[in-house]
Amino acid sequence: MSAVVPPIPQGNAQKGDAVHPGSPVTVNRYTPMKRLNHWITAASLILLALSGLALFTPSLFFLTGLFGGGQNTRAFHPWIGVVLFLSFFIFFFQLWKANLPERTDWIWLRKIKDVVGSHEENLPELGKYNAGQKFIFWSMTALILVLIVSGVMIWEQYFTQYTSIPVRRIAVLAHSIAAVLIICVFILHVYAAIWTRGTLRAMTRGTVTGGWAWRHHRKWLRELAARRKVGPAE
Ligand code: HEM
């Protein structure tokens, strides 16, 4: 009689993810290249927010001091936007599959009280990302697209001849609304990264503990174990 092999859990494990035995067990979550990519994206969004807010309202004009004055702020802002766009989309293409919606995401959302109350035992086992992380991922994607398209439309130095004044007025409005929304999403993202203990090291050291993975992303951990993605002891 042949033994029944249980199916491998589908936890959205990615290339480079692996479990390392030790005390504590550690799990690779982000490669050095992904982390570099993430931090370039983060730094450019922070610089964009500061330079953008400086141009947005006279009460924040003092922020232009950080960029060497008004003219420089105006010149640098769109170029930093290009860096954000390129760097985010390099990151995007590595992560989008793991962020596709799944049935468990709806259960997670319905049980949001247990998420906030840290009652993970009432939640389904999750893959590499939960519905909250996926929401942040897709909203950042959509907002960065709106920002780059509307930003190019109002980039007078190079593109002024391609758009009319009424079109640019709409673009400025879309650009400002998307900017305010992405700052809110950014705050939510940083808050969640700090609030969920043990998460920040995923983006600093590249690893999380086995306990963290078991508690928050058990299906992902089970997939790594089932696929024998086990590295040397730490
Ligand atoms: C100081 C600011 C930031 C901090 C402290 C931070 C922290 C983190 C941490 C700890 C993770 C890993 C979470 C996990 O794997 O469970 C992460 C993932 C991620 N971060 Fe950030 N981040 C910052 C800024 C940004 C910015 C500005 C963006 C984009 C514009 C961004 C986009 C992402 C994305 C897309 C992921 C992957 C999550 C997913 O795919 O669902 N982060 N960040």
Side-chain angles (χ1 to χ4, degrees):
M1 209 172 77
S2 62
V4 180
V5 182
I8 292 181
Q10 296 303 309
N12 296 319
Q14 292 176 301
K15 218 172 137 210
D17 296 351
V19 185
H20 298 269
S23 181
V25 168
T26 55
V27 191
N28 290 6
R29 197 161 162 87
Y30 294 105
T31 59
M33 281 314 285
K34 280 198 188 125
R35 278 178 277 146
L36 179 69
N37 201 166
H38 172 269
W39 290 120
I40 292 174
T41 309
S44 32
L45 190 90
I46 293 167
L47 291 175
L48 273 172
L50 291 170
S51 52
L53 288 170
L55 300 172
F56 184 61
T57 160
S59 59
L60 293 174
F61 186 76
F62 70 92
L63 289 172
T64 56
L66 296 170
F67 301 89
Q71 290 299 326
N72 282 338
T73 308
R74 201 180 166 184
F76 291 151
H77 180 81
W79 285 111
I80 307 170
V82 172
V83 174
L84 173 81
F85 172 70
L86 294 176
S87 134
F88 181 83
F89 278 92
I90 295 171
F91 201 42
F92 172 90
F93 285 112
Q94 300 172 73
L95 299 184
W96 72 273
K97 272 194 190 144
N99 281 282
L100 289 174
E102 291 167 275
R103 205 178 57 87
T104 43
D105 294 333
W106 305 113
I107 305 174
W108 187 92
L109 277 174
R110 275 209 310 274
K111 298 193 170 208
I112 195 75
K113 268 193 187 157
D114 289 317
V115 176
V116 179
S118 293
H119 287 295
E120 260 105 349
E121 67 278 10
N122 299 334
L123 301 172
E125 293 194 359
L126 300 177
K128 187 160 181 178
Y129 297 112
N130 63 38
Q133 290 169 303
K134 290 179 186 179
F135 165 78
I136 286 173
F137 179 82
W138 290 107
S139 23
M140 279 175 170
T141 305
L143 291 168
I144 290 172
L145 281 175
V146 174
L147 284 169
I148 191 79
V149 172
S150 56
V152 165
M153 288 165 84
I154 55 177
W155 197 348
E156 295 202 358
Q157 193 175 355
Y158 301 114
F159 300 103
T160 187
Q161 68 270 37
Y162 302 110
T163 48
S164 62
I165 290 175
V167 167
R168 260 181 273 153
R169 282 194 185 132
I170 296 169
V172 170
L173 184 64
H175 199 73
S176 314
I177 294 173
V180 170
L181 290 178
I182 205 165
I183 292 171
C184 297
V185 174
F186 167 75
I187 293 170
L188 202 64
H189 175 59
V190 176
Y191 180 76
I194 295 169
W195 178 68
T196 315
R197 260 177 68 190
T199 304
L200 270 182
R201 60 175 278 173
M203 262 315 161
T204 51
R205 285 187 256 173
T207 59
V208 288
T209 63
W212 183 95
W214 177 258
R215 182 166 177 187
H216 302 295
H217 301 278
R218 198 170 299 174
K219 214 200 293 179
W220 172 63
L221 182 65
R222 281 193 202 280
E223 178 178 350
L224 295 177
R227 290 192 191 281
R228 306 277 187 274
K229 299 266 185 206
V230 181
E234 288 271 293

